[in-house]
Amino acid sequence: MENLVAGVNVLEVVAVFVSAVSGGLAAVRKRFDLFGVLVLAWVCGLGGGILRDVLIGDTPPVGISSWKLVVAALAAGLATFVLHPGLTRLRRSVIVLDAAALSLFVVQGTSKALDLDAGLLASLVVGVLTGVGGGVLRDMLVGEVPLIFADRQLYAVPAILGAATVVVLWETGWWTWWSALCVVVLVLGFRLLSLALGWVVPHVGGGWTGRWGRESGKMDA
């Protein structure tokens, strides 16, 4: 089991970089200076992981103790600061990568909590927070309502589904590298499908579905 968690951790560097890019882009849109871009990239890329580690008592959090992850987040911030015009034109590609980061964070966060015997419910919550926490902190720092609350896109829902699936597979003894990969694909596919079909969270005066348009082009984490 430890080898499986270590294998998932390898992918965490990629997830941190991609998520940090979305934080950097948010800072650029707010016309932050280089320091502000780097800080917001770090918060977005590693904020969920810091919340995870604090909640499960694995301190100091990797967000301040793992030089590889910190460098990945800061490199993403620097790249965004320099290359942001090109990244803006690649918006849809960044959205796909952002969805991939969500799926990786959820799987990694939930499995790490389970590996440290955090309990089934606690591990599910920690997995979801690992996936969406960075985006929530990012939006708060730029003075906006977190998009998972205001935008109605299915972002937290795929995270909850993915974390719950990890918990079930772990508890039934079916948790392997291949099942972890399947959960990553499940969360990623659900997120992208909801964007393509315009699915939204039910709201007062509305329903489950909406139109494909400007809303579905936003990033949430």
Side-chain angles (χ1 to χ4, degrees):
M1 193 67 68
E2 292 181 358
N3 291 335
L4 174 60
V5 175
V8 176
N9 287 341
V10 173
L11 300 177
E12 189 176 16
V13 175
V14 179
V16 165
F17 185 90
V18 173
S19 187
V21 167
S22 72
L25 286 174
V28 168
R29 287 195 294 269
K30 292 292 184 176
R31 303 185 67 82
F32 285 10
D33 60 18
L34 176 59
F35 179 75
V37 172
L38 293 176
V39 169
L40 205 58
W42 173 77
V43 168
C44 193
L46 294 168
I50 291 175
L51 289 175
R52 174 201 64 209
D53 291 347
V54 170
L55 288 173
I56 63 179
D58 186 18
T59 56
V62 294
I64 59 175
S65 63
S66 172
W67 68 268
K68 292 181 181 179
L69 297 183
V70 173
V71 168
L74 296 180
L78 181 60
T80 304
F81 184 82
V82 176
L83 304 173
H84 65 87
L87 291 174
T88 302
R89 289 193 293 270
L90 296 174
R91 188 176 183 82
R92 287 190 180 275
S93 297
V94 173
I95 290 173
V96 173
L97 292 174
D98 182 68
L102 169 69
S103 60
L104 291 169
F105 278 143
V106 168
V107 169
Q108 198 276 342
T110 309
S111 62
K112 182 174 183 178
L114 288 166
D115 190 54
L116 294 178
D117 298 321
L120 301 183
L121 180 58
S123 297
L124 189 152
V125 173
V126 166
V128 173
L129 288 177
T130 305
V132 306
V136 171
L137 294 173
R138 175 203 65 201
D139 293 339
M140 293 174 63
L141 287 176
V142 297
E144 297 178 354
V145 176
L147 291 179
I148 63 169
F149 303 136
D151 198 50
R152 297 188 290 112
Q153 292 182 18
L154 297 187
Y155 198 80
V157 172
I160 294 171
L161 174 64
T165 303
V166 172
V167 168
V168 171
L169 291 171
W170 186 288
E171 186 68 9
T172 57
W174 286 91
W175 185 242
T176 66
W177 173 258
W178 289 107
S179 62
L181 180 60
C182 288
V183 177
V184 170
V185 174
L186 172 67
V187 177
L188 173 61
F190 189 6
R191 168 63 175 159
L192 295 180
L193 186 63
S194 69
L195 287 173
L197 298 181
W199 294 345
V200 295
V201 177
H203 61 287
V204 177
W208 279 97
T209 58
R211 294 187 304 170
W212 171 270
R214 185 172 62 87
E215 284 191 347
S216 60
K218 293 180 180 178
M219 292 181 296
D220 307 284

